[in-house]
């Protein structure tokens, strides 16, 4: 026994065999014998191509080994692919060096059909699978025979193929090079004369002169001629090659005893699981599989049927393209609920499908097919749904920070197809992580983003999140900052073709961190213009750009084109088309404080500051921006003062200027003041916008909220989430913007969507008056039972407005204006 090393078989066990008393084929008889398993043809992966390690002679990165690393460990390159490149991808190797021996072992040993598949949205082509299986046999142990001796070659045919019904490996090259193939079938005829037997055998091998993605078996045929010498008992005692076989005949032969690999971290069970997989997780025969927004990598081995279910009036966005190695074409047909064909397209390399469909008769059926499935289709689908009711969370913090969601159905009817989908910066859907599901009235879902089943390899691609439903839904998202603090990310009510981001800061401030985004929420591309102003209203920079549907543009101080931002400035954002819907937000952190300001509307309507707390415990700031082209005359008025204007604050604000007012110093904020519980109305003869901000002496964090206007008033408001303890509290401010006294009810709802018996409270507010409510104090011992709270006026036609705050002494505070209920 010895260890034999070649350039293809790393370690094999050499054993000599003595074969005696084998019966020969009778004279003039032809016999054919075949192994039970037909080996598959596979690529021989030449070392100088480095296909397994770098994909150089395949599809590039990720190579089969890198793809395995990414699938198993979430990233590449790691130890496995680096090991391969260090050991095999050497320029000094002769061009014929490769893995034909390892492929031969794998082709004989791995007895299953190999087809492309998509696992967890990760495509493994046939070449990926065969490459991994090939390396899985880089250290197989085998019996060895000398095929240069015709009698030994003859006896191997009889022993392995005829008797054991399994193949063996033979080096079929006559020269210095080694080319090994799995032998699995032969046809033999012979003529006996005395003590000699003339034999002609046709040997069938699986061929490796195929492309990596070849499916099935391509055969190689060899004809050999030899004479066997027999003793008087008919035993084979020797032999010689005859005819052309004197030169053309086998060399070494191998039969697998034990499979093995020396590739680090290549798990045989995982490789075989990958190799045996077929098609994709959405495959369900002729059954139509519902698609949710996302990007799908899929396999077409037979017709695929997908259901595109959406709301009437929404827009379906669909793109389908062939992936590399995905075949030559796929037929796509879309029909509506009445089986009317709305799209018929042949997808090829030069003709991908890109379609938008206005949903008039949902649901829609997408059928993908081709005439010939011998070459499977490998394709990518990007499906999105532009629904009327969707709420964008434009930022998911990383680096250990958390992002928590509360989604509540505060309506009186079930909500269908509620779902959460992640998106890239370019606005492409990645994956629907939650839903679609139907939420019953009063049902609430609480979860952290980190608990959702996102694909680890795509985590860094997640730029934003959208929660959509068939009608309006209560959505809350809280996030933590890098050094502390908490902010609320509720997005959706402030949107349009003209929006304002109200804060800018300078670059290179160690205690500050800022970035902002503008998002095109429309289903068409948008040309937009961003204009940066300083506090005095001077233009610092104007930039124009195009945004694809749902694409996000991010800016930061110091980034081009806004390299020279200023403290206390603001940004005006306009779309060229008034039908375009834009949203935006800015994220600012200062030490342990975190603030998010969402884009504000610039209008001429009066706006409201709903509450100015005691000045010895709170700071209250008012930020106003004159977005008009003329000097603005602004008035701050205590609403409860009615026609009495003696306490009004009158301002002149230059065009495009931004001012900050300390309301805690400018307004009387003691309980003895008759208008202490009065809201503050802000009016202007120019379009304007702004926000109000609270800073408690008990918190490092602070909160900013958009000024309220008539769009924030309704007969009913909803608090979609009530904090459930753990140091958290919930405060609510409710005000009366009307001209007469009103009564309103405070109704806590439970998980069943009904009012919790015995807990409803009633309050009265005079014109312009507000009330501040502590939810825990109002409902002691019942906070955990409350899913959401509705604030409803008792008289039809009356309206209220309000805001809420969430606070935690350790974490910080955040808030948002209460959501009007549209009924």
């Amino acid at each position: 026994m010895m260890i034999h090393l070649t350039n293809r078989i790393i370690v094999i066990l050499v054993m000599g065999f003595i074969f005696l008393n084998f019966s020969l084929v009778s004279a003039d008889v032809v016999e054919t014998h075949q192994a039970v398993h037909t080996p598959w043809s596979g690529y021989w992966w030449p070392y100088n191509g480095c296909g397994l390690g770098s994909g150089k002679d395949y599809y590039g990165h990720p190579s089969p080994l890198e793809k395995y690393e990414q699938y198993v460990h979430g990233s590449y390159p790691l130890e496995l692919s680096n090991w391969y490149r260090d050991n095999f991808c050497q320029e000094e190797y002769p061009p014929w060096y490769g893995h034909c021996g390892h492929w031969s072992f794998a082709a004989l040993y791995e007895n299953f059909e190999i087809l492309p598949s998509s696992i967890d949205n990760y495509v493994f082509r046939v070449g990926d699978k065969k490459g991994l299986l090939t390396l899985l046999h880089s250290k197989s142990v085998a019996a060895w025979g000398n095929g240069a001796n015709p009698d030994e070659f003859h006896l191997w045919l009889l022993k392995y193929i005829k008797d054991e019904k399994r193949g063996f490996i033979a080096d079929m090259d006559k020269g210095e090079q080694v080319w090994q193939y799995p032998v699995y079938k032969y046809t033999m005829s012979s003529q006996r004369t005395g003590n000699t037997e003339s034999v002609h055998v046709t040997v069938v091998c699986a061929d490796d002169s195929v492309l990596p993605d070849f499916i099935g078996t391509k055969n190689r045929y060899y004809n050999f001629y030899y004479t066997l010498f027999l003793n008087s008992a008919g035993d084979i005692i020797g032999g010689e090659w005859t005819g052309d076989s004197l030169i053309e005949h086998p060399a070494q032969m191998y039969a697998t005893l034990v499979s093995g690999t020396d590739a680090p971290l290549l798990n045989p069970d995982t490789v075989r699981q990958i190799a045996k997989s077929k098609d994709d997780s959405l495959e369900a025969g002729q059954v139509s599989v519902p698609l949710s927004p996302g990007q799908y990598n899929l396999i077409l081995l037979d017709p695929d049927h997908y259901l595109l279910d959406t709301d009437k009036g929404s827009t379906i966005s669909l793109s389908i393209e062939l992936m590399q190695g995905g075949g030559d074409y796929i037929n796509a047909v879309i029909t509506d609920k009445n089986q009317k064909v709305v799209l018929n397209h042949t997808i090829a390399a030069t003709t991908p499908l890109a379609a938008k469909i206005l949903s008039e008769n949902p649901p829609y059926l997408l059928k993908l097919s081709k005439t010939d499935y011998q070459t499977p289709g490998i394709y990518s689908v990007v499906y999105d749904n532009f629904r009327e009711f969707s709420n964008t969370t434009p930022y998911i913090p990383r680096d250990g920070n958390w992002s928590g969601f509360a989604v509540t159905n505060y309506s009186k009817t079930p909500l269908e197809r509620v779902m959460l989908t992640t998106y890239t910066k370019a606005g492409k859907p990645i994956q629907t992580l939650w839903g679609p599901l139907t939420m019953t009235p009063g049902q609430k879902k609480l979860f952290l983003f980190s608990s959702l089943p996102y694909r680890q390899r795509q985590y860094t691609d997640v730029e934003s999140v959208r929660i959509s439903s068939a009608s309006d839904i209560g959505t809350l998202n809280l996030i933590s900052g890098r050094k502390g603090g908490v902010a609320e990310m509720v997005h959706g009510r402030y949107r349009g073709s003209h929006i304002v981001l109200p804060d800018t800061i300078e670059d290179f401030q160690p205690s500050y961190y800022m970035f902002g985004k503008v998002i095109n929420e429309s289903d068409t591309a948008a040309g937009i213009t961003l204009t940066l102003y300083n506090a005095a209203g001077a233009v610092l920079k104007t930039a124009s750009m195009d945004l694809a549907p749902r694409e996000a543009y991010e800016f930061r101080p110091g980034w081009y084109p806004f390299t020279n931002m200023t403290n206390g400035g603001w940004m005006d954002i306009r779309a060229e088309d008034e039908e375009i819907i834009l949203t935006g937000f800015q994220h600012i952190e200062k030490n342990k404080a975190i603030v998010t300001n969402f884009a504000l509307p610039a209008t001429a309507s009066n706006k409201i500051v709903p509450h100015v707390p005691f000045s010895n415990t709170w700071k209250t700031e008012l930020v106003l921006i004159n977005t008009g082209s003329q000097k603005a005359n602004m008035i701050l008025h205590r609403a409860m003062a009615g026609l009495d204007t003696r306490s009004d604050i009158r301002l002149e604000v230059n065009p495009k200027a931004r001012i900050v007012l300390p309301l805690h110093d400018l307004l009387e904020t003691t309980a003895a003041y008759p208008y202490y519980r009065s809201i503050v109305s802000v009016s202007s003869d120019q379009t304007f916008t702004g926000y109000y901000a609270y800073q408690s002496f008990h918190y490092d964090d602070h909160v900013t909220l958009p000024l309220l206007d008539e769009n924030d008033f309704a007969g009913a408001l909803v608090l979609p989430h009530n904090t459930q303890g753990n140091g958290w509290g919930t405060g609510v401010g409710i005000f009366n913007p009307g001209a007469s006294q009103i009564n309103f009810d405070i109704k806590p709802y439970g998980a069943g969507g009904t009012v919790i018996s015995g807990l409803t409270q009633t309050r009265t507010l005079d014109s312009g008056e507000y009330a501040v409510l502590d939810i825990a104090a109002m409902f002691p011992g019942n906070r955990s039972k409350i899913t959401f709270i509705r604030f409803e006026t008792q008289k039809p036609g009356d309206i209220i407005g309000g805001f809420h705050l969430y606070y935690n002494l350790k974490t910080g505070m955040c808030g948002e204006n209460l959501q009007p209920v549209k009924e």
Side-chain angles (χ1 to χ4, degrees), residues 237-257:
I237 57 176
E240 65 180 9
W241 299 103
T242 60
D244 293 341
S245 298
L246 287 169
I247 299 176
E248 302 281 355
H249 56 71
Q252 296 172 336
M253 301 178 297
Y254 308 93
T256 303
L257 298 176

Side-chain angles (χ1 to χ4, degrees), residues 110-167:
E110 308 295 344
N111 184 9
F112 46 81
E113 186 180 29
I114 302 174
L115 295 170
S117 62
S118 179
I119 312 173
D120 193 27
N121 213 42
Y122 212 77
V123 169
F124 285 93
R125 299 178 179 85
V126 171
D128 294 317
K129 296 180 176 184
K130 290 184 176 181
L132 293 172
L133 291 171
T134 293
L135 201 58
L136 204 60
H137 291 264
S138 62
K139 200 175 181 180
S140 291
V141 180
W144 175 80
N146 186 1
N149 297 326
D151 52 331
E152 190 165 354
F153 173 68
H154 178 86
L155 294 174
W156 271 55
L157 292 173
L158 301 182
K159 170 181 171 57
Y160 288 108
I161 296 179
K162 179 181 179 181
D163 294 343
E164 297 184 11
K165 300 300 182 184
R166 68 186 183 106

Side-chain angles (χ1 to χ4, degrees), residues 291-296 308-310 314-319 355-357 381-387 390 419 421-424 426-432 466 468 520-523 549-551:
L291 274 191
S292 300
Q295 188 272 332
Y296 300 87
L308 310 179
D309 197 5
T310 185
S314 66
T315 299
I316 291 173
S317 174
L318 184 68
S319 63
K356 288 184 179 178
I357 301 172
V381 174
V382 179
Y383 168 59
D384 204 0
N385 194 349
F386 291 80
R387 308 174 75 181
S390 67
M419 65 189 83
T421 305
T422 55
Y423 287 81
T424 68
K428 301 297 183 183
I430 301 173
Q431 184 181 8
T432 293
R466 282 180 178 83
S468 64
N520 175 16
E521 299 283 359
S522 304
D523 60 7
R550 285 185 168 161
E551 183 178 6

Side-chain angles (χ1 to χ4, degrees), residues 176-211:
E176 174 188 0
Q177 297 184 12
V178 178
W179 291 93
Q180 295 162 333
Y181 301 97
V183 180
Y184 72 95
K185 181 179 180 180
Y186 70 83
T187 298
M188 181 183 294
S189 62
S190 67
Q191 290 285 340
R192 181 169 177 174
T193 305
N195 288 333
T196 63
E197 188 80 15
S198 298
V199 180
H200 170 218
V201 61
T202 299
V203 171
V204 184
C205 310
D207 196 1
D208 66 354
S209 61
V210 295
L211 295 174

